[in-house]
Amino acid sequence: MSEEQVTVAQIPDISLQFEGRVVKDTRAGYSGFIVGAEHLLDVVQTLRDELGFDYLSSVTGVDYLPEGKMEVVYHLYRSIGGPALVFKVQVPRDEAVVPSLYHIFKSADWQEREAWDLMGIRFVGHPDLRRILTWEGFAGHPLRKDWKEPYFEEETKPYKSRWPEGITGYIEDNNPYHDNLQYPAGFDPETWIPQAEEALYASAQKIGRDKELHTDTVVVNLGPQHPSTHGVFRMVAALDGEQVVFLKPVVGYLHRNHEKIGERNTYLQNMPFTDRLDYVSSMSNNFGYALAVEKLMGIKPPERADYIRVMMAELTRWMNHVFSFGFLWNDLGSYFTPMIYALEERELILDIFEAVSGSRMMCNYFRFGGVARDLPEGVLNKVKELVFERMPRQLDAIDKMLSTNEIVRNRCIGCGVLTAEQAINNGASGPNLRASGVPYDIRRADPYSIYDRLDFDVVVHYHGDVYDRYLTRLDEARQSNRILQQVVRDIPEGPIMTGKPAYQVRVPAGEAYGRVEAPKGELGFYIVSTGKPNPWRYHVRAPSFINLTSLEDMCRGGKIADVVLNLGAIDIVLGEVDR
Amino acid sequence: MSDETIQSSNYEIPPEMQGTVSITSLDKVYAWSRKNSMWPMMFGLACCAIEMIVLAASRFDIARFGMEVMRPSPRQSDFLIVSGTVTKKMVPQIVRLYNQMPEPKYVVSMGACASGGGPFKEGYSVVSGIDKYIPVDVYIPGCPPTPQALLNGLIALTKKVDKERIKTSEWYAKGSEAAVPVPVLGPDLMDPRKYALIYEQTHRPIEPEIPAETEQKEG
């Protein structure tokens, strides 16, 4: 490690600096600081302006029902690298009010809305505190521990009826509607007036009206069923002529309760669910979750398993980036023919995933302390063939076809510009951040697994437009290739698992945040354990979700036709946005 | 057009016209032409949509079955592949899209989620299968189904189309254009067909002997 890394790796003891306002978190298994809610804004402002913690990565609500407390956990970083400064705000459960960090860190925008939606924590000072993943009018805040869903059976799995008794039945039979439904007592459907849509469109119509010329803006709705929104994503834009003056993304159309289900599952049962977060790169999701739980358990995988993990993660990154070029072509109007090039390469990598894990997309391959099974015979040779011959060649072909293509350059250069300040403040991560000139890559900034031993460069480009985002991905795919070449060369023999494989792992009480550089950006898992077989809190810091905060900044002032391009260049996957 | 599949053997064709003329029933021509040109709607929901895209690419290639024309507009499509988890927030849109499709229309439920909720079934905002709202013709198991499985399902759909006859087809009958009522998002998803049941349940006095699972919970 170089000298600079040692200095940024030191987290200052802010309980000394802010005496009386900040105390150390002394609970067993916990780290970081507890800030009084009334001092939060001051402390955060100082942390950002004086101590250089300028990157708010994650905002998580935790419901400590037995203590009657609601906690908000913040993970703050320096954009020059280093570990997290973790601090928490505790408020009473029945009066959960916390000052909003929106005006200091815009990355808090969507995360605070999420915490309000799911946990019922009210953030004072947030300009647009609406529900985000559920819909306006939804009854209750589902991630509160005392909120029960319609199919509620028991607090935790495995359910007693299934194991050891083994009685099965239809969960529908326990519900009066024979469906996944519940309504508050005294509710009358005939008198219900839905209000969310009107409010959304009204806020769009207010913008950009010219009183003198009597002009009006045109409000356009894109999605959730739209060929170029990459899934069930929706945007409401107000247009002045062709120019976008206002844009509000609407998400939640694929909200499938990942966290609520995750808090009921045992630790290992969550592994296959993480596959379905960013379903284009499931191996990376496994990686992040495994790291977080391993941190809590205090174990490390053996050498060979680490190499296999990195191999899978980098194959995923390569595949994801090539896939995103296919989509870029699509969004530029060249429909599907170029996509076939990308999918052809993807299939070759999926074959490897299928060979090692048994499934093409939903690999469920990582285990706590290793991987599920060793590489089957012949796979390593296949990977070698790919990484030394085919993959570099195909990247060169893509480079030749796209990088100097006139249409690509005309459409992409100068489109959707995000400055470095904006990118950091919005909490952008991954290629989106690095294309704006911030050389922040978790594999280097806060190394995990064996990345500190591998030789690769952090790719950075400086214009922050769509073209640079494309170039960043292209160069990053080349770096992945470089990593893969080292990994297949050096991979040692040996065991692939620490300890015996177990269905129920023992996880000591405490909290942990594991993060990896997923292809889309920083993927973090925040886990609170009470020592039981199930996590008390399981939160996913999804890169696509937070990267979308920047969408409005990218699109405002541009043409409506470029909105699709900007969205495509952020590279989102809805499974991860909505969770 | 191969002679064997379409030719009705009951009619004798003069030797000089054999190979040039085929005599067959209208039903056969109708089914044959329909099943070889099924256009799916370009409509992706979740993970399964990726496998659906893969099916359209070179390795699996649904163009072999005349299905390569994917239209984002429901007005131009023959069948809807519900490819992924159906959430309560999304189901009004899916029902609306289904209503906008012209008859004859088909629905393929792709994967565990669309068929019955899948791994996310217990979630509070997941619909336990799209068939609670719109009729489904083919169910494809898997999470996600492999492209081969999807292809098998689509071939099953063409077999179904092949068996349909003009006289008995529903979409020429009266009253077939009735739309499925679009669900409304309230405190929970509300199916307009079930308003009476909802009212009855929410205004029922709570009986003490009901087990805890079936009780009404307030949010």
Side-chain angles (χ1 to χ4, degrees):
Chain A
M1 275 198 182
S2 70
E3 277 176 23
E4 285 147 282
Q5 276 175 317
V6 176
T7 51
V8 293
Q10 288 166 346
I11 291 294
D13 187 352
I14 57 169
S15 65
L16 300 175
Q17 190 173 353
F18 301 100
E19 219 180 336
R21 290 183 279 175
V22 177
V23 291
K24 269 193 180 164
D25 190 349
T26 50
R27 291 172 287 181
Y30 286 73
S31 62
F33 306 92
I34 294 175
V35 183
E38 62 280 15
H39 306 300
L40 179 71
L41 290 178
D42 294 348
V43 170
V44 173
Q45 190 85 47
T46 318
L47 286 176
R48 189 190 74 172
D49 297 342
E50 288 169 23
L51 296 176
F53 285 93
D54 53 355
Y55 186 81
L56 177 68
S57 163
S58 157
V59 179
T60 313
V62 187
D63 180 7
Y64 287 101
L65 179 65
E67 288 95 343
K69 269 189 286 195
M70 204 55 112
E71 191 175 271
V72 185
V73 186
Y74 300 88
H75 285 81
L76 200 56
Y77 294 94
R78 289 178 168 129
S79 61
I80 51 171
L85 174 67
V86 186
F87 59 92
K88 295 142 195 178
V89 174
Q90 292 185 334
V91 284
R93 242 183 128 256
D94 36 0
E95 205 195 329
V97 182
V98 177
S100 168
L101 294 186
Y102 179 91
H103 295 287
I104 306 175
F105 291 110
K106 212 186 156 208
S107 55
D109 182 359
W110 281 29
Q111 302 192 63
E112 286 181 347
R113 275 179 70 188
E114 187 196 336
W116 156 244
D117 186 3
L118 302 183
M119 316 280 298
I121 302 169
R122 189 176 286 281
F123 290 90
V124 181
H126 192 293
D128 187 28
L129 198 66
R130 285 177 298 125
R131 283 183 182 267
I132 185 161
L133 295 179
T134 62
W135 56 91
E136 220 54 59
F138 186 83
H141 300 284
L143 275 185
R144 285 190 165 231
K145 286 283 176 185
D146 51 1
W147 191 90
K148 304 278 189 286
E149 55 266 68
Y151 280 165
F152 177 77
E153 211 175 318
E154 263 174 70
E155 281 298 342
T156 53
K157 285 180 197 167
Y159 297 144
K160 286 190 194 76
S161 63
R162 321 284 166 82
W163 187 85
E165 273 90 15
I167 306 158
T168 53
Y170 291 104
I171 186 71
E172 277 93 339
D173 296 342
N174 293 347
N175 186 291
Y177 308 99
H178 291 276
D179 202 352
N180 190 6
L181 299 169
Q182 67 183 359
Y183 306 93
F187 171 72
D188 183 3
E190 297 288 350
T191 56
W192 171 260
I193 305 163
Q195 68 276 71
E197 296 292 285
E198 281 74 12
L200 183 70
Y201 288 126
S203 66
Q205 269 152 353
K206 265 193 296 198
I207 312 283
R209 193 171 283 167
D210 191 325
K211 285 218 176 85
E212 263 177 47
L213 290 172
H214 300 285
T215 59
D216 238 342
T217 50
V218 179
V219 177
V220 176
N221 178 66
L222 287 102
Q225 152 62 2
H226 189 275
S228 50
T229 50
H230 297 223
V232 283
F233 181 71
R234 181 178 163 209
M235 295 173 272
V236 175
L239 306 180
D240 179 10
E242 255 191 275
Q243 214 167 38
V244 178
V245 290
F246 170 94
L247 186 127
K248 271 262 178 265
V250 187
V251 299
Y253 291 96
L254 191 55
H255 177 49
R256 37 189 185 183
N257 329 124
H258 189 84
E259 291 176 11
K260 185 81 178 175
I261 295 174
E263 283 167 18
R264 185 156 296 148
N265 283 344
T266 62
Y267 285 93
L268 191 57
Q269 279 176 336
N270 271 340
M271 191 60 87
F273 280 89
T274 62
D275 287 333
R276 287 154 181 85
L277 279 171
D278 174 357
Y279 37 74
V280 178
S281 38
S282 63
M283 288 282 197
S284 294
N285 307 338
N286 283 185
F287 205 167
Y289 180 59
L291 277 184
V293 177
E294 279 163 12
K295 233 183 208 179
L296 266 174
M297 294 166 69
I299 55 169
K300 273 208 175 316
E303 187 89 349
R304 183 175 171 82
D306 255 340
Y307 271 86
I308 295 176
R309 283 178 171 196
V310 170
M311 185 199 293
M312 294 306 151
E314 293 306 319
L315 280 173
T316 305
R317 188 185 321 278
W318 194 91
M319 175 183 92
N320 178 78
H321 287 348
V322 170
F323 200 47
S324 82
F325 303 146
F327 272 120
L328 179 73
W329 266 315
N330 245 9
D331 293 339
L332 285 168
S334 168
Y335 176 66
F336 212 70
T337 309
M339 193 72 200
I340 288 172
Y341 283 83
L343 288 171
E344 195 183 344
E345 302 310 310
R346 185 173 176 266
E347 284 296 319
L348 297 173
I349 292 177
L350 290 189
D351 282 348
I352 293 168
F353 289 172
E354 195 170 1
V356 300
S357 75
S359 173
R360 285 159 52 87
M361 277 173 71
M362 305 307 177
C363 301
N364 186 17
Y365 183 52
F366 287 41
R367 293 288 178 273
F368 311 124
V371 290
R373 47 190 88 74
D374 206 345
L375 298 176
E377 213 177 314
V379 164
L380 201 60
N381 281 335
K382 228 174 182 179
V383 178
K384 271 183 190 158
E385 229 168 82
L386 279 180
V387 298
F388 285 105
E389 283 163 33
R390 182 164 182 126
M391 283 160 64
R393 195 176 68 225
Q394 293 299 328
L395 277 184
D396 288 341
I398 288 169
D399 190 7
K400 202 171 150 195
M401 272 191 282
L402 271 176
S403 303
T404 53
N405 183 303
E406 201 181 329
I407 297 172
V408 172
R409 289 177 68 93
N410 279 341
R411 285 289 306 276
C412 297
I413 293 179
C415 173
V417 176
L418 197 68
T419 63
E421 290 78 26
Q422 276 176 325
I424 292 173
N425 198 256
N426 290 353
S429 58
N432 290 304
L433 182 64
R434 292 190 286 277
S436 292
V438 185
Y440 189 82
D441 187 320
I442 298 167
R443 292 173 294 172
R444 278 280 181 257
D446 191 9
Y448 54 95
S449 195
I450 54 163
Y451 280 110
D452 49 350
R453 278 184 261 160
L454 294 166
D455 191 21
F456 67 99
D457 297 327
V458 174
V459 177
V460 63
H461 285 272
Y462 296 94
H463 297 102
D465 56 5
V466 173
Y467 189 67
D468 271 18
R469 266 169 233 141
Y470 151 71
L471 284 182
T472 309
R473 291 204 174 90
L474 182 67
D475 291 346
E476 226 168 72
R478 288 212 168 96
Q479 295 299 330
S480 287
N481 224 152
R482 211 171 130 192
I483 295 173
L484 281 167
Q485 289 177 355
Q486 296 166 45
V487 168
V488 294
R489 193 190 61 208
D490 299 340
I491 184 167
E493 291 294 323
I496 44 126
M497 188 88 181
T498 304
K500 266 192 273 174
Y503 287 113
Q504 280 217 18
V505 291
R506 232 172 254 283
V507 180
E511 57 161 10
Y513 182 71
R515 59 173 190 157
V516 292
E517 183 71 35
K520 309 262 187 319
E522 177 183 339
L523 175 69
F525 289 86
Y526 179 77
I527 294 164
V528 175
S529 165
T530 49
K532 299 226 170 69
N534 316 77
W536 177 258
R537 179 79 173 101
Y538 167 74
H539 176 74
V540 184
R541 187 250 187 236
S544 304
F545 179 68
I546 296 160
N547 284 347
L548 272 175
T549 315
S550 306
L551 184 66
E552 195 181 359
D553 289 336
M554 290 176 185
C555 295
R556 210 188 297 112
K559 298 276 191 287
I560 179 73
D562 291 337
V563 169
V564 163
L565 192 54
N566 287 330
L567 180 73
I570 296 180
D571 192 13
I572 57 163
V573 158
L574 264 298
E576 190 177 67
V577 173
D578 296 340
R579 281 158 290 150
Chain B
M1 194 193 296
S2 64
D3 280 357
E4 302 83 60
T5 54
I6 199 113
Q7 180 81 46
S8 297
S9 53
N10 313 357
Y11 297 93
E12 208 160 291
I13 299 168
E16 68 270 24
M17 295 177 89
Q18 264 172 16
T20 325
V21 172
S22 293
I23 297 173
T24 187
S25 64
L26 185 58
D27 265 339
K28 269 194 174 177
V29 175
Y30 180 75
W32 174 85
S33 55
R34 271 190 341 116
K35 79 167 185 187
N36 283 300
S37 167
M38 301 282 285
W39 290 5
M41 189 155 98
M42 197 169 116
F43 171 65
L45 280 176
C47 333
C48 288
I50 304 289
E51 290 294 56
M52 188 175 76
I53 297 170
V54 168
L55 181 65
S58 44
R59 193 185 210 174
F60 301 100
D61 193 14
I62 40 171
R64 295 178 290 161
F65 305 93
M67 295 174 185
E68 77 277 21
V69 189
M70 282 202 179
R71 293 295 191 207
S73 164
R75 303 280 186 209
Q76 299 170 331
S77 40
D78 294 312
F79 67 98
L80 170 71
I81 303 178
V82 184
S83 54
T85 316
V86 181
T87 62
K88 289 177 182 171
K89 204 169 174 178
M90 193 61 198
V91 77
Q93 273 78 345
I94 300 176
V95 172
R96 207 169 282 146
L97 287 167
Y98 175 78
N99 286 340
Q100 287 171 352
M101 287 170 70
E103 289 280 10
K105 55 188 170 187
Y106 303 90
V107 176
V108 175
S109 155
M110 179 183 180
C113 289
S115 305
F120 299 98
K121 180 176 178 176
E122 61 188 297
Y124 50 86
S125 80
V126 173
V127 174
S128 312
I130 188 63
D131 55 2
K132 300 254 188 224
Y133 293 91
I134 57 177
V136 174
D137 295 282
V138 178
Y139 295 89
I140 304 169
C143 186
T146 57
Q148 292 94 327
L150 176 56
L151 207 49
N152 185 41
L154 297 184
I155 291 170
L157 180 66
T158 60
K159 282 184 184 154
K160 177 178 175 157
V161 170
D162 199 29
K163 287 202 189 101
E164 283 172 337
R165 298 285 169 261
I166 298 176
K167 264 194 174 167
T168 52
S169 60
E170 278 171 32
W171 54 89
Y172 294 128
K174 268 185 190 161
S176 69
E177 61 281 339
V180 178
V182 178
V184 180
L185 290 173
D188 207 329
L189 191 68
M190 302 188 291
D191 190 339
R193 293 171 291 196
K194 291 184 184 161
Y195 275 6
L197 174 68
I198 296 171
Y199 188 87
E200 184 194 313
Q201 289 288 341
T202 52
H203 288 75
R204 190 182 56 162
I206 296 169
E207 296 156 46
E209 65 270 7
I210 296 174
E213 285 85 15
T214 58
E215 255 180 45
Q216 294 298 300
K217 298 280 174 346
E218 268 195 74

